[in-house]
């Protein structure tokens, strides 16, 4: 009875922690996408590396965002296995639930983005030239490419909703969940060494990252590990190590995947530790509207952010600090707009908004 009560308490606290962290972690994702690849210098467009201080700022934002994404994968793995077991029946139920929470929003937002590209190609043909193959010329393969990888029809990789690479990798992890469960259950900690060894194989890096951190969440759920307590105890240690390792990565320019993901793990631990600190000492909760709007913010922001950064670029003070401030201001503005749009849509079209956000 005590164990059950303890498990229930830990799950409740984890739910509180996820609700607290979901929105600020999502804002870091928006902040990353508000960066400027090209900047003005002496009246000419140049690569942003021409401002060393802004380059360091962008790299730091990248690292805190990597930590946030890693933690989202951990949370997803934990929520999938928080009951500690997996049966054929429960796996079927979990897949059915993820159809509504992941796959359906993935499809709906993909259709919305394709429609937006279609409208932009009609209204701004010159500006959209070369950005993506005309939607009117799409073949059946092109439509499917929009859901997986637009490399053949656009100037980039990933799904048509570029930030949905996370959902794509999450769906892969969910499909592989029985294998991950078996590895965690029967091989335990050694299973992580197997995953780390995958870095030596020609496996797509995002897939490895997603599976690695999803499996960490699986481990926490299967063995009922109270990561909040551990992270709270070592919050200063994980924070200092994260800052130190991030500084090293930025200054030395290391390009070792395992080191980057160790840094992401330290950052994720720091997020959990300080989130737990807020829950324990401040008894604070994230306003419901902010927590609820997180997925909408995640899904909507990419195209508006691209448009706003392009419009704003010529008017920003030509200095690294100027672009730092601009990136922060655009992030705050786009986040506020996202929350506002979510509130309006939820009020006017509650059922449709629920479908767009997976019932969140």
């Amino acid at each position: 009875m005590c164990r059950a009560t303890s498990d229930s308490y830990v799950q409740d606290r984890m739910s509180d922690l996820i609700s607290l962290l979901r929105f600020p972690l999502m804002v870091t994702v928006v902040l990353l996408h508000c960066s400027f690849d090209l900047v003005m210098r002496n009246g000419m467009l140049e690569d942003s590396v021409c401002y060393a201080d802004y380059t360091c700022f962008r790299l730091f934002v990248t690292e805190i965002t990597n930590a946030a994404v890693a933690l989202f994968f951990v949370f997803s793995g934990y929520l999938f296995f928080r009951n500690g077991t997996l049966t054929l029946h429960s796996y079927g139920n979990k897949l059915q639930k993820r159809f509504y929470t992941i796959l359906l929003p993935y499809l709906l937002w993909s259709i919305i983005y394709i429609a937006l590209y279609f409208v932009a190609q009609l209204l701004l043909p010159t500006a959209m030239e070369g950005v993506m193959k005309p939607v009117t010329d799409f073949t059946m393969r092109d439509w499917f490419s929009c859901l997986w990888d637009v490399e053949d029809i656009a100037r980039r990789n990933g799904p048509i909703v570029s930030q949905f690479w996370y959902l794509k990798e999450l769906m892969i992890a969910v499909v592989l969940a029985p294998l991950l469960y078996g590895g965690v259950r029967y091989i335990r900690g050694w299973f992580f060494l197997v995953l780390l060894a995958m870095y030596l194989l020609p496996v797509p890096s995002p897939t490895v990252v997603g599976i690695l951190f999803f499996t960490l969440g699986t481990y926490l759920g299967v063995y009922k590990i109270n990561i909040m307590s551990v992270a709270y105890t070592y919050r200063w240690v994980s924070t200092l190590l994260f800052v130190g390792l991030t500084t090293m990565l930025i200054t030395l320019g290391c390009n070792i995947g395992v080191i980057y993901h160790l840094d992401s793990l330290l950052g994720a631990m720091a997020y959990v530790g300080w989130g737990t600190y807020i829950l324990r000492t401040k008894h604070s909760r994230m306003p419901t509207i902010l927590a609820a709007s997180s997925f909408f913010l995640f899904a909507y922001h990419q195209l508006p952010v691209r448009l706003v950064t392009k419009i704003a670029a010529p008017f920003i003070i030509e200095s690294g600090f100027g672009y730092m401030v601009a990136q922060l201001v655009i992030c705050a503005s786009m986040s506020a707009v996202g929350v506002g749009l979510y509130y309006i849509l939820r009020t006017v079209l509650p059922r449709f908004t629920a479908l767009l956000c997976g019932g969140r």
Side-chain angles (χ1 to χ4, degrees):
M1 181 65 71
C2 292
R3 174 62 186 274
T5 301
S6 176
D7 288 348
S8 176
Y9 175 77
V10 170
Q11 289 187 9
D12 288 344
R13 299 307 287 170
M14 277 293 290
S15 296
D16 291 339
L17 178 70
I18 293 171
S19 295
L20 177 69
L21 293 180
R22 185 185 296 133
F23 182 77
L25 293 182
M26 195 58 70
V27 171
T28 67
V29 175
V30 177
L31 179 61
L32 175 67
H33 295 152
C34 291
S35 62
F36 295 85
D37 296 323
L38 296 176
V39 297
M40 295 295 293
R41 185 180 177 92
N42 298 324
M44 300 290 291
L45 278 177
E46 295 186 24
D47 193 292
S48 61
V49 297
C50 65
Y51 296 114
D53 51 349
Y54 182 59
T55 298
C56 291
F57 174 77
R58 286 187 62 187
L59 291 173
F60 181 75
V61 169
T62 298
E63 290 307 307
I64 64 174
T65 305
N66 287 341
V69 173
L71 189 53
F72 279 128
F73 277 119
V74 172
F75 283 157
S76 297
Y78 170 80
L79 292 173
F80 200 89
F81 289 100
R82 61 179 168 180
N83 293 328
T85 59
L86 185 69
T87 64
L88 184 61
H89 178 70
S90 66
Y91 181 58
N93 288 337
K94 291 176 187 294
L95 286 182
Q96 184 179 19
K97 182 179 179 181
R98 266 64 184 181
F99 171 82
Y100 293 102
T101 60
I102 301 177
L103 181 57
L104 186 57
Y106 188 95
L107 296 175
L108 290 175
W109 280 102
S110 296
I111 293 171
I112 290 172
Y113 268 61
I114 292 172
L116 291 174
Y117 275 110
F118 172 70
V119 172
Q121 289 170 351
L122 286 179
L123 300 180
L124 302 169
T126 303
M128 294 298 295
E129 186 175 355
V131 174
M132 192 176 75
K133 181 179 180 179
V135 175
T136 52
D137 296 337
F138 273 14
T139 64
M140 184 61 67
R141 179 182 177 182
D142 295 332
W143 284 98
F144 283 108
S145 295
C146 290
L147 301 178
W148 197 257
D149 193 340
V150 295
E151 182 179 10
D152 293 337
I153 60 175
R155 295 186 300 192
R156 60 176 177 82
N157 297 322
I160 187 71
V161 187
S162 59
Q163 65 273 28
F164 274 11
W165 72 267
Y166 166 80
L167 293 183
K168 184 180 79 170
E169 303 306 333
L170 181 58
M171 286 189 285
I172 293 174
V174 166
V175 170
L176 297 177
L179 295 177
L180 304 181
Y181 174 76
V184 166
R185 195 73 177 178
Y186 301 107
I187 310 178
R188 297 176 71 96
W190 292 100
F191 189 56
F192 290 101
L193 294 180
V194 175
L195 294 178
L196 288 174
M198 292 174 66
Y199 283 106
L200 303 177
L201 303 175
V203 180
S205 180
T207 300
V208 176
V209 173
I211 290 176
L212 179 64
F213 288 109
F214 185 90
T215 303
L216 178 57
T218 299
Y219 193 91
L220 299 177
V222 169
Y223 292 104
K224 309 291 186 183
I225 296 174
N226 187 358
I227 188 62
M228 293 176 65
S229 179
V230 176
Y232 175 79
T233 302
Y234 296 103
R235 64 189 184 279
W236 278 111
V237 174
S238 59
T239 302
L240 293 174
L241 287 175
F242 172 70
V243 173
L245 187 55
T246 297
T247 302
M248 185 192 78
L249 289 171
I250 292 174
T251 55
L252 299 182
C254 297
N255 192 25
I256 304 175
V258 175
I259 301 297
Y260 275 109
H261 301 317
L262 173 61
D263 196 38
S264 297
L265 178 59
L266 289 170
M269 284 284 290
Y271 285 137
V272 173
W274 289 108
T276 304
Y277 170 80
I278 293 173
L279 288 176
R280 286 190 178 187
T281 61
K282 308 299 181 181
H283 306 289
S284 300
R285 292 180 179 272
M286 184 62 58
T288 303
I289 185 64
L290 297 184
S293 65
S294 299
F295 186 88
F296 183 87
L297 179 61
F298 170 58
Y300 114 97
H301 77 274
Q302 184 68 264
L303 289 182
V305 160
R306 286 183 186 174
L307 178 62
V308 171
T309 52
K310 286 184 178 181
I311 294 174
F315 304 100
I316 298 171
I317 298 174
E318 295 185 14
S319 69
F321 180 74
Y323 284 99
M324 290 182 212
V325 173
Q327 186 170 341
L328 291 169
V329 170
I330 292 174
C331 173
S333 302
M334 291 294 95
S335 298
V337 169
V339 174
L341 286 175
Y342 171 79
Y343 178 78
I344 293 171
L345 282 174
R346 192 181 69 171
T347 302
V348 178
L349 300 169
R351 292 186 179 179
F352 179 65
T353 305
L355 290 176
L356 286 179
C357 299
R360 296 171 180 84

